[in-house]
Amino acid sequence: MLKAVILIGGPQKGTRFRPLSFEVPKPLFPVAGVPMLQHHIEACVKVPNMKEILIIGFYQPNEELNRFLFNSQQEFKIPIRYLQEYAALGTGGGIYHFRDQILSGNPEAFFVMNADVCSAFPLAEMLIFQKEHGEPNSFVILGTTANRKQSLNYGCLVENENTNEVLHYVEKPSTFVSDIINCGIYLFNPEIFQHIGTVFQKNQQDMLLYPYDGEEPTNGWHRAEVIRLEQDIFTALAGQGKLYVYKTLSFWSQIKSAGSAIYASRLYLNQYHTTHPERLASNKQGGPNISGNVYIHPTASIDPTATLGPNVSIGTGVTIGAGVRVRESIILHGANLQDHCCVLNSIVGWESTIGKWARVEGTPSDPNPNDPFAKIDSETLFRDGKLTPSITILGCNVTIPSEVIVLNSIVLPHKDLNRSFKNQIIL
Amino acid sequence: MKALILVGGYGTRLRPLTLSVPKPLVEFCNKPILLHQVEALVKAGVNHVVLAVSYMSELLEREMRVQEQRLGILISLSHEKEPLGTAGPLALARDLLNVDNEPFFVLNSDVICDFPFKDLLQFHQNHGKEGTIVVTRVEEPSKYGVVVYESDSGRIQRFVEKPQVFVSNKINAGMYIFNPSVLSRIQLRPTSIEKEIFPIMAEEGQLYTMELQGFWMDIGQPKDFLTGMCMYLQSLRLHAPERLHTGPGFLGNVLVDPSAQIGENCSIGPNVTIGAGVVIEDGVRIKRCTVLKGSRVRSHSWLESCIVGWSSSVGQWVRMENVTVLGEDVIVNDELYLNGANVLPHKSINESVPEPRIIM
């Protein structure tokens, strides 16, 4: 049997996703109409012999998460459990802490994946690759190719080109090492816990030798149980004949910032053509004008004179008035877009209202379309003291009056604007 | 009676519109700027208008022949080979102006107001001196040259350029009436009437002022062109409200040529002028704009404080604001945002212009 573990982190993580992560845990933010995590779960349940999905993180149990888990178990007919870490234990520490849960029922292998990635999840291919490359009990990292400059923002690995064995692993190097990067999706077998255990024992000994004196601000990173898969495990395993890379040509992106959620939506909407054609809206008599890939929740009310797409996701209970235009945007549940308004490259928060003829527009942060290996830039909010032009984000319950423009701005929740804003964060 | 209109040069301040059409022929509130002045002069009894131009335009000449016929007057073009300032053109046109002993009007071609030519003639004849200039009241006199005069008689005492201490809030409105004897004061060379001629006439007690009632605007540049339009439409509201368009979807003062087509669910106004043959599609919002002849504004667009040049096309869901001026035959593609763009003629725009600039 097989299992899967999804690492969702906690509320201290995902701050680049604010103000949207105030309202809903980032892993539940809708991408292409469904919670980010659901894409992982849908990929897992397609793998034959998958018996359980474990979600590990340090969010307090909350209603949103409980409801999502309950609904997903119903829908996908598979046990899904949330295991809460007592503190942020890192990507290795979390699975180590819950190793008995993971190993119960004796799975011969299990997947571990980060929640904040968007991927075609070639899990079946990883399994085949693991069996075929000839080294039993080895571990597989999903890798993809980046361009030289952007590779520095990721975990980089060097492979033996004949065997695909990982010879060297380094996390976010300062100079170029390799253009093969870690996708944050792994295939392990129970033996991985021996390697994590070794690091744990070493940490434990170090702490006895150099006890924590309470003076250095270590943010809790003094615990022996805090272990990072990337720096602490992969770096040591590289070159030991244990770690292999399966390189995928299918789509992949991180979802760190809100801007990357729009890009990730585009990738998933495009995948729907093969995986979920029923989720894509089409032009119908009496329906809105659809251009490109669009997801519309069945409870949304859309005027037939509106034009939507490409890359638009419309959430539950959204109302869209006459002559409205939406392109490259995510409209979250309960939002109200009034007649003739125009929304481009933006995320419109839950229960927000956009007035007639208003224009809400952002600047896309898409990867360079002319570079096949380009990834989305992990943009900084400010550059040279100026807000970098980015997508426009309206927090929840924001009201935009008629006829104004909100350009390249971030509006924090529960704000009634009374005029136009450009290139600003509105508190 | 005769009148001289100082048309001048290329009208560069009103570009990009004047790259296609000579400034006097640019429509202001659906009528060429020059005709506002010429028609008011004709009403006051003028039958010979001299246009002082520094460049010759076939289009202007042809149009003037048409207007001669229509109005039953004589229109002459007096062509200066080199710029002669504001007084020199009077010397150049001396032979046309000095045919009888009647006074004649002189005006700057950029001025829009309720032209008071009859009252001006009357006032001028009453005081019997050589010249009268029309003055108008401004809010910030420190930006202009002001006129200081005796309030009961109107006799001018002096002119003060950009006064730093308040001396008067009246400025020269660019409209005059002179006796032909003024011509003897002016040489055929570049001369400023305001700086070189008026001060001497004032000193000699030969120059009087009449204060203009109602609005006044120099519409020589796009920003002021729009402000002048608002004033003119408000004046229509007071004096000829039947010429303004009313009905559902129209707000405030809106002037619409009868040949224009307006779609459904639009909101037009206040302060909008829509020219001949213009098509405004459904769900468009326009305020404080002039849309010139033959243009099309496609559905759901939003326009404020813009001039849309002749035969231009504004796409769907376009937002244009902040004195965006489109030259002739400009195409603005769908969903773009133009903020203070100045677009030269025959240009197709594919990218937003988020900050004011010129699009060559």
Side-chain angles (χ1 to χ4, degrees), chain A residues 91-382:
Chain A
T91 47
I95 59 172
Y96 186 67
H97 183 81
F98 291 111
R99 58 192 180 279
D100 291 344
Q101 303 274 4
I102 297 169
L103 296 180
S104 74
N106 295 318
E108 64 259 26
F110 58 96
F111 291 97
V112 171
M113 46 192 106
N114 291 325
D116 61 358
V117 297
C118 149
S119 171
F121 297 107
L123 305 182
E125 292 90 328
M126 287 171 78
L127 279 170
I128 295 168
F129 170 78
Q130 203 275 343
K131 291 208 168 64
E132 286 184 348
H133 74 71
E135 193 62 49
N137 284 335
S138 63
F139 315 123
V140 180
I141 299 180
L142 184 69
T144 189
T145 307
N147 65 36
R148 289 176 70 96
K149 184 164 162 276
Q150 289 180 324
S151 69
L152 308 182
N153 302 322
Y154 298 90
C156 295
L157 40 95
V158 180
E159 63 165 351
N160 177 326
E161 282 179 23
N162 297 319
T163 63
N164 300 117
E165 191 204 336
V166 176
L167 301 174
H168 182 72
Y169 186 95
V170 56
E171 187 68 19
K172 298 192 179 80
S174 55
T175 55
F176 177 74
V177 172
S178 166
D179 59 0
I180 306 172
I181 61 167
N182 174 3
C183 292
I185 298 168
Y186 318 114
L187 174 60
F188 293 145
N189 58 62
E191 222 183 279
I192 190 75
F193 294 121
Q194 291 171 26
H195 299 281
I196 304 176
T198 308
V199 174
F200 174 70
Q201 296 301 334
K202 184 180 166 294
N203 286 355
Q204 197 82 301
Q205 280 169 13
D206 285 355
M207 282 181 63
L208 290 171
L209 285 173
Y210 317 104
Y212 171 62
D213 60 10
E215 277 179 18
E216 282 178 61
T218 52
N219 295 328
W221 282 87
H222 61 282
R223 292 190 178 91
E225 217 181 347
V226 172
I227 298 163
R228 299 159 298 176
L229 276 179
E230 302 81 7
Q231 290 95 324
D232 300 327
I233 308 297
F234 296 157
T235 305
L237 283 177
Q240 305 293 314
K242 273 278 151 203
L243 197 57
Y244 285 76
V245 57
Y246 174 70
K247 286 180 293 176
T248 180
L249 294 172
S250 57
F251 70 89
W252 180 85
S253 176
Q254 277 189 325
I255 312 179
K256 291 286 187 199
S257 63
S260 53
I262 293 182
Y263 177 60
S265 272
R266 185 190 312 156
L267 299 176
Y268 279 137
L269 286 173
N270 195 41
Q271 191 194 28
Y272 285 169
H273 283 286
T274 48
T275 59
H276 291 283
E278 77 286 357
R279 285 186 188 161
L280 292 172
S282 54
N283 283 300
K284 286 194 205 84
Q285 187 84 39
N289 182 27
I290 304 292
S291 143
N293 298 335
V294 174
Y295 169 84
I296 301 173
H297 193 273
T299 57
S301 154
I302 319 272
D303 190 280
T305 60
T307 300
L308 312 178
N311 188 20
V312 167
S313 310
I314 308 282
T316 52
V318 167
T319 307
I320 293 191
V324 167
R325 178 76 179 101
V326 186
R327 171 161 62 81
E328 295 286 344
S329 294
I330 297 175
I331 314 297
L332 298 168
H333 74 70
N336 179 3
L337 276 52
Q338 297 180 350
D339 298 358
H340 319 295
C341 74
C342 180
V343 177
L344 310 173
N345 304 305
S346 299
I347 296 178
V348 176
W350 303 271
E351 312 291 340
S352 286
T353 299
I354 298 177
K356 289 182 178 186
W357 284 293
R359 183 180 180 97
V360 173
E361 181 177 14
T363 300
S365 45
D366 292 350
N368 177 1
N370 301 317
D371 177 355
F373 302 121
K375 303 285 173 274
I376 198 158
D377 264 318
S378 50
E379 69 266 41
T380 48
L381 210 48
F382 291 90

Side-chain angles (χ1 to χ4, degrees), chain A residues 305-307 322-325 327 340-342 344 356-359 361 402-405 407 420 422-423, chain B residues 264-267 282-285 287 300-302 316-319 321 334-337 339 352 354-355:
Chain A
T305 60
T307 300
V324 167
R325 178 76 179 101
R327 171 161 62 81
H340 319 295
C341 74
C342 180
L344 310 173
K356 289 182 178 186
W357 284 293
R359 183 180 180 97
E361 181 177 14
S402 293
E403 304 191 27
V404 305
I405 178 167
L407 184 65
S420 293
K422 293 177 189 176
N423 309 307
Chain B
E264 286 176 12
N265 301 317
C266 289
S267 175
D282 296 346
V284 169
R285 176 82 182 98
K287 47 189 187 183
H300 315 299
S301 282
W302 185 93
Q316 293 183 297
W317 291 289
V318 165
R319 182 185 178 98
E321 62 185 339
D334 291 351
E335 299 166 27
L336 297 182
Y337 170 47
N339 174 21
S352 288
E355 295 302 328

Side-chain angles (χ1 to χ4, degrees), chain B residues 17 20-21 26-27 292-293 295 308-312 327-330:
Chain B
L17 300 176
S20 304
V21 168
V26 171
E27 299 96 327
L292 293 170
K293 197 159 54 185
S295 292
V308 177
W310 309 271
S311 307
S312 286
E328 182 192 13
D329 179 35
V330 166

Side-chain angles (χ1 to χ4, degrees), chain A residues 63-81:
Chain A
E63 203 199 322
E64 298 254 11
L65 192 56
N66 289 340
R67 195 173 342 120
F68 171 73
L69 295 175
F70 179 80
N71 291 340
S72 301
Q73 297 196 70
Q74 297 277 309
E75 185 174 350
F76 300 109
K77 311 271 186 286
I78 188 169
I80 304 175
R81 285 190 295 144

Side-chain angles (χ1 to χ4, degrees), chain B residues 103-140:
Chain B
F104 57 87
F105 295 104
V106 173
L107 51 149
N108 289 340
S109 67
D110 293 345
V111 165
I112 281 292
C113 62
D114 286 326
F115 293 103
F117 296 126
K118 258 186 188 155
D119 294 346
L120 181 57
L121 176 63
Q122 185 91 57
F123 178 86
H124 181 73
Q125 283 167 339
N126 283 351
H127 69 68
K129 295 293 193 292
E130 218 173 339
T132 306
I133 74 179
V134 179
V135 294
T136 184
R137 184 201 298 250
V138 290
E139 281 182 4
E140 291 182 63

